[in-house]
Amino acid sequence: MKYRVIILPVAKADIKTAAKWIRQNDSPEKAKAWVSEINKAIATLSTFPARCALLYDEWLEDIRNDKIISNLEVLKSD
């Protein structure tokens, strides 16, 4: 069974930012190889999505009832 993998815009931006950092602080070749490996890993999720365990994040658990306004802002609800 094939699954559809959706890469959120914020994830795409994070990959681009990380690749830019690697390119500027290491080498363009390593940045390209890193992006290639990320894309290969993402591609495998369409056939075996359970291969990656869900990560429990205590911080996310703490804010589950909060209102997330943006990717960087969290406001406590009353």
Side-chain angles (χ1 to χ4, degrees), residues 1-42:
M1 175 180 231
K2 287 274 190 176
Y3 295 85
R4 188 172 70 158
V5 177
I6 300 170
I7 305 169
L8 298 177
V10 67
K12 289 179 184 180
D14 286 347
I15 292 169
K16 286 182 182 181
T17 299
K20 181 179 177 181
W21 187 92
I22 294 168
R23 188 173 52 253
Q24 292 174 342
N25 292 281
D26 199 327
S27 73
E29 296 79 19
K30 286 188 181 179
K32 191 178 235 182
W34 181 80
V35 170
S36 177
E37 289 301 313
I38 292 289
N39 288 331
K40 286 178 191 176
I42 291 169

Side-chain angles (χ1 to χ4, degrees), residues 15-75:
I15 292 169
K16 286 182 182 181
T17 299
K20 181 179 177 181
W21 187 92
I22 294 168
R23 188 173 52 253
Q24 292 174 342
N25 292 281
D26 199 327
S27 73
E29 296 79 19
K30 286 188 181 179
K32 191 178 235 182
W34 181 80
V35 170
S36 177
E37 289 301 313
I38 292 289
N39 288 331
K40 286 178 191 176
I42 291 169
T44 67
L45 293 173
S46 68
T47 54
F48 189 40
R51 74 169 185 79
C52 295
L54 294 177
L55 175 66
Y56 172 75
D57 190 319
E58 188 174 321
W59 182 79
L60 289 175
E61 185 68 24
D62 288 345
I63 66 164
R64 71 175 178 221
N65 293 322
D66 298 346
K67 293 180 183 175
I68 299 177
I69 302 304
S70 73
N71 292 330
L72 302 175
E73 271 181 38
V74 177
L75 298 180

